[in-house]
Amino acid sequence: MTQPLLESELEPRYLYVHTFGCQMNEYDSLRVQRILAAHGYLVTPDMVSADVIFLNTCSVREKAEQKVHSFLGRLKRLKSHHPGLKIILAGCVAQQLGNKLLKRFDHLDLVLGTRAISAVGDLLEKIQQTNKRLAYLPEVDSMTPRELFTASPAATSPVTAPVTIMQGCNNFCTYCIVPYVRGRERSRPSREILDEIEKLTSCGTREVLLLGQNVNSYGRGLEEKISFVELLHRIQEETDLLRLRFTTSHPKDLTDELIRCFADLPVLCKYLHLPVQAGSDRILKRMNRGYTAGHYLEKIQRLRDACPEIGLSSDVIVGFPGETEEDFQQTMDLLKTVQYDNLFSFRYSDRPHARAAAFDDKLDEETKARRLMELQALQADITLRKNEAEVGTLREILVEGPSKTQEELLTGRTHQNRIVHFESTRPCTGELITVRIREAASHSLKGEPAA
Ligand code: SF4
């Protein structure tokens, strides 16, 4: 493997990054930017002037995968005008299709599996020197934690930064491709996580989002004896973070101990994303989720008893094979009961390898689309009502910087992950401030700093 050159020895070359999918992919894309910076690459927002295009892909839903294929197709023309351009494709689609992608897209140079991110710099140098195209899909068991999780994703730290604590999943929900493209669960040693958080806070990060497909199982399989709850306590005690969040949690693994953390740990934001997926026990069983709607609702109650102000969000899939009108109404009833602050909802689509792809009682697209529209309309009402109930309250927010939609305003988030825009007479990015909420809209709030 070649040694990266020092930044000062290199002419700048340009890297364009496009990320599809989840926060784990966002994190991996940041790692790639960091690794390629050491090989002399500057990030550019202009794809046409790039020397390397890095696409990080998602195959968790069929639609996301189709977007990747069409994006890749469009790059063929660009490459014909710029033959030196190298195109790299990573993430779940890369892991799933591997060499087939090189055969189908002859302008693609490098395919990297989900566990291959740390090798991107060396492999890019290799394909540049040899002019050969390559797919690299290492087995997860053959990798060290350092190769899997390379630390310090960014040279400059944003106010809020992600930190991966585990990868992969052992749950095998019948609709999900993740265990096949991300492999079995692997946790990251706690010392590495704490070191990364320490580096981030020393560069200005105030809030960390711990990432994993199923963070509640953190620690299984590690040599050290540590649980997710113990990790949260250590972060509270040993770091200078102002705020901590985590995602994603599996309802079946949400313990009373973890629920107590929302009341006991000041650093932990009072917010939980707890995917329910369906409100019908019959469908939950076919999804292999490992809980009933009743068990799920009991956990929601215990969360609210321990921490009455907790904000909640969830994921729902509509139109799972065999979903009847009655099953769907049970999902709608669950939404009415829980009153989530926010919801991410999707139509079911077949995924390769996933068991549900072989189920024979699929629903037609029209029914799925109608149910999704009904469900989203219900949730839009709930979210708006909950946002309106915020008007007049005082909320502590962490200020993240200028608003993306209204330049003259700053933006922050409440504990419950609500976005608040406000005017400020002084720079206060990175600070915790208190605002009075003045207006509510469907996706955000407006406020003013409290005296
Ligand atoms: S818990 Fe289920 S839905 Fe989540 S990543 Fe694992 S298999 Fe997929």
Side-chain angles (χ1 to χ4, degrees), residues 60 168-180 185 212-214 248-253 275 277 287-289 315 317:
V60 83
C169 184
N170 297 349
N171 283 319
F172 292 92
C173 300
T174 57
Y175 52 82
C176 186
I177 195 173
V178 166
Y180 307 97
E185 281 171 12
Q213 268 82 29
N214 184 16
T248 296
S249 302
H250 197 300
K252 74 177 166 53
D253 300 322
Q277 306 298 4
M287 287 177 161
N288 192 32
R289 289 292 288 171
D315 295 333
I317 296 172

Side-chain angles (χ1 to χ4, degrees), residues 24 92 95 114-115 138-145 148-149 164-173 176-188 211-215 217-222 288 352-355:
M24 188 78 86
C92 294
Q95 182 69 36
T114 50
R115 276 91 63 169
E139 286 298 319
V140 69
D141 291 342
S142 66
M143 304 193 73
T144 64
L148 263 180
F149 297 111
T164 295
I165 63 165
M166 50 110 48
Q167 272 218 37
C169 184
N170 297 349
N171 283 319
F172 292 92
C173 300
C176 186
I177 195 173
V178 166
Y180 307 97
V181 288
R182 290 269 176 188
R184 300 299 97 77
E185 281 171 12
R186 281 284 296 272
S187 290
R188 184 178 183 188
L211 292 179
Q213 268 82 29
N214 184 16
V215 290
S217 1
Y218 173 78
R220 280 185 213 157
L222 275 179
N288 192 32
H353 310 293
R355 265 174 43 216

